[in-house]
Amino acid sequence: MNIILIGLQWGDEGKGKIIDFLSKDMDYIVRYQGGNNAGHTVVIKDKMYIFHLIPSGVLYKNKTCVIGNGVVVDPQALIEEIKTLEKQKVYIGNNLKISSLAHVIFPYHKILDKLRESKRTFKIGTTGRGIGPCYVDKFSRCGIRIKDLLCPENLKEKLKDNLSEKNDVFKKAFGHPGFKFEELYKEYLAYGNMLKKYITNTSILFAKALKAKDSILFEGAQGTFLDIDFGTYPFVTSSNSFSGGACTGAGFAPVYIDKVIGVVKAYTTRVGEGPFPTELDEKLMGCVREWGKEYGATTGRPRRCGWFDAVMVRFAVLLNGAKEMAVMKLDVLDNLETIKVCTAYKYKNKLFKEYPQEIGSLDKVKPIYKDFPGWRTSTRGAREFKDLPKQAKNYLKAIEDLSCSKIKMISVGSSREETILKY
Ligand code: IMP
């Protein structure tokens, strides 16, 4: 089976845990978009592992983890991540492959990300990791790729070209002194040397995997509504984080994809700026944030929290082809007396049951809610669907019906064991 796992909200749905859960039955685990703006957390027996670029599949022996061509790689961050994981006794060697075609993030991308953000009237809330500017260079056809780090002549030529243009822009537009060629050139050649053993033609790798009937898991980073095309633009990331991105970002033909699994939280969160129709009031948001430990794995920023938005998830299910869903963090709702689900939006006296892509801005819509009684008891000990309280089962059934996708997994805690399979 070749599976794409995708977030159906604004990222941070808890994909890390499901990826870890599914990885044991997969041969390859592949990242295909984004960069170290992502953060996946996996908890195993009180030990916490945080991943930004490396697929969490490295926690299993005999799995091949791939960073695909569609990922933008900050080599410094990647090397740090490798070192941190090695300190935690995770083996990283020939189980990690990096596409030679992936684009490289340079310091000028990171600084530009922050400078641009500081000048914007409407802030995006970027993680400042240089993701957007690196993708801009890729599509402007001046980007530097992983394979260039292995070829001193290529790197020299491309870096010189880039710096002559960028230093000009930095000085004129931002009063920034710019970057010295020699320093960057040496630093990045050294990164190339350190990463050399992982760099390969990943398309050949996948061709071999297909021939051997190996199974591949494509792990989406961010979420559907952060997608550059389908998300809440401009408050989005700079890649295609919906399921379609897996084909271009890994170099994998759509005909070989067997299934798309969507991941949702039992409520909604978002980091950074942008519209959020079901956002909670301050007081309740504070409680949910504490119960759900809703702080970004990458930046530590507090996440905004809201009710489950079935209008958005229904659209995400359709867009991604996610016929199956995993519902995460159900236990975070354990203390609530009443739980709301947004079933439609009202905008200018018109009712929208379908996601209204055509209207000006999502921040003007009024959510229409349906109330559900809470269960007010802990669900953390539940290991089978039948162990859940009646009200929790009803809530899940409503989410399932409103989202038009089958719930196959429910998570009631952060560790591997706190997972319910519903087949
Ligand atoms: P950027 O991709 O770092 O430029 O960030 C653009 C927007 O996407 C910001 O609102 C970020 O907070 C958000 N974002 C980027 N990566 C993630 C993620 O992995 N989880 C949740 N939000 C993210």
Side-chain angles (χ1 to χ4, degrees):
M1 271 253 174
N2 300 319
I3 300 174
I4 303 176
L5 192 93
I6 214 88
L8 299 181
Q9 294 158 322
W10 276 296
D12 307 319
E13 293 90 351
K15 296 181 291 294
K17 178 172 168 177
I18 300 298
I19 291 160
D20 172 65
F21 188 83
L22 295 173
S23 292
K24 61 182 186 307
D25 300 320
M26 310 302 287
D27 300 294
Y28 290 78
I29 300 98
V30 183
R31 267 291 297 275
Y32 59 85
Q33 45 72 230
N36 62 322
N37 50 351
H40 288 169
T41 307
V42 179
V43 180
I44 304 165
K45 293 196 181 101
D46 292 343
K47 254 188 143 179
M48 189 190 279
Y49 304 86
I50 297 182
F51 299 88
H52 296 289
L53 273 164
I54 299 176
S56 54
V58 287
L59 293 176
Y60 289 95
K61 289 203 173 73
N62 309 321
K63 312 283 173 194
T64 304
C65 292
V66 181
I67 296 177
N69 57 280
V71 177
V72 285
V73 179
D74 179 341
Q76 189 186 19
L78 177 58
I79 290 162
E80 260 169 40
E81 191 170 329
I82 293 174
K83 283 185 186 156
T84 307
L85 288 169
E86 282 177 339
K87 270 194 209 139
Q88 292 184 287
K89 308 253 176 301
V90 178
Y91 169 73
I92 299 181
N94 57 4
N95 55 348
L96 176 65
K97 308 286 175 199
I98 307 170
S99 165
S100 54
L101 303 182
H103 279 248
V104 178
I105 296 177
F106 280 78
Y108 47 78
H109 293 127
K110 292 186 253 186
I111 293 176
L112 192 58
D113 216 1
K114 290 180 187 140
L115 286 173
R116 271 199 191 135
E117 180 84 338
S118 71
K119 290 208 164 189
R120 272 189 197 112
T121 316
F122 297 106
K123 311 259 180 251
I124 288 170
T126 170
T127 60
R129 299 294 191 267
I131 309 298
C134 185
Y135 278 117
V136 167
D137 280 359
K138 170 175 175 173
F139 288 96
S140 308
R141 292 160 296 171
C142 65
I144 297 178
R145 299 194 279 187
I146 285 282
K147 65 178 184 175
D148 298 318
L149 303 185
L150 305 181
C151 178
E153 275 317 301
N154 278 356
L155 181 62
K156 186 184 278 180
E157 203 175 288
K158 292 183 181 180
L159 190 57
K160 276 197 167 160
D161 268 3
N162 266 286
L163 287 186
S164 83
E165 187 203 27
K166 289 193 167 67
N167 280 346
D168 228 33
V169 173
F170 268 94
K171 269 177 215 141
K172 284 189 187 138
F174 302 106
H176 185 281
F179 302 85
K180 294 204 173 69
F181 167 78
E182 273 308 324
E183 280 172 20
L184 276 190
Y185 179 62
K186 276 195 199 135
E187 184 185 338
Y188 275 72
L189 269 186
Y191 292 147
N193 255 325
M194 284 186 248
L195 295 175
K196 197 165 157 183
K197 60 180 174 190
Y198 310 114
I199 301 171
T200 190
N201 178 341
T202 48
S203 304
I204 301 272
L205 202 69
F206 293 139
K208 283 185 187 156
L210 280 171
K211 202 163 174 206
K213 297 210 170 358
D214 284 338
S215 48
I216 306 175
L217 176 65
F218 297 92
E219 55 161 274
Q222 289 87 45
T224 302
F225 292 96
L226 288 174
D227 183 278
I228 185 75
D229 286 298
F230 301 102
T232 46
Y233 192 92
F235 306 99
V236 293
T237 193
S238 300
S239 61
N240 277 122
S241 52
F242 91 116
S243 57
C247 296
T248 51
F252 198 79
V255 285
Y256 300 122
I257 303 291
D258 297 297
K259 180 155 70 168
V260 179
I261 301 176
V263 186
V264 289
K265 251 179 213 169
Y267 47 103
T268 312
T269 62
R270 150 161 234 180
V271 221
E273 306 306 315
F276 189 167
T278 64
E279 190 163 16
L280 296 173
D281 63 50
E282 280 296 315
K283 195 163 162 236
L284 192 51
M285 173 142 32
C287 296
V288 173
R289 183 180 290 142
E290 289 318 307
W291 296 333
K293 297 187 187 70
E294 293 296 353
Y295 296 90
T298 301
T299 57
R301 286 182 292 178
R303 294 179 185 139
R304 299 156 66 192
C305 305
W307 298 117
F308 188 89
D309 187 337
V311 180
M312 297 187 79
V313 173
R314 195 159 54 235
F315 177 67
V317 162
L318 272 177
L319 184 70
N320 289 291
K323 293 184 185 152
E324 296 184 6
M325 282 203 308
V327 178
M328 313 304 289
K329 291 190 150 185
L330 183 70
D331 56 299
V332 173
L333 305 181
D334 283 351
N335 293 328
L336 290 169
E337 205 166 312
T338 304
I339 305 171
K340 292 178 185 288
V341 173
C342 169
T343 57
Y345 299 147
K346 209 163 198 185
Y347 178 67
K348 291 187 178 168
N349 282 328
K350 207 172 147 193
L351 195 70
F352 288 87
K353 286 192 174 165
E354 304 290 345
Y355 181 65
Q357 211 170 51
E358 64 283 10
I359 67 169
S361 174
L362 209 58
D363 59 7
K364 304 275 189 313
V365 303
K366 183 177 171 299
I368 307 295
Y369 289 115
K370 186 163 185 219
D371 287 2
F372 292 85
W375 40 97
R376 310 207 74 186
T377 176
S378 174
T379 52
R380 290 199 68 162
R383 294 293 172 269
E384 291 183 50
F385 189 70
K386 66 175 173 49
D387 301 337
L388 289 171
K390 187 176 88 218
Q391 297 90 331
K393 286 182 191 155
N394 288 344
Y395 180 66
L396 289 167
K397 175 87 173 77
I399 286 184
E400 187 172 72
D401 291 347
L402 288 163
S403 306
C404 303
S405 179
K406 281 270 161 250
I407 296 175
K408 296 284 184 173
M409 277 181 256
I410 301 148
S411 174
V412 289
S414 53
S415 69
R416 268 182 186 168
E417 308 78 58
E418 292 168 311
T419 311
I420 298 170
L421 295 185
K422 185 172 173 275
Y423 285 99

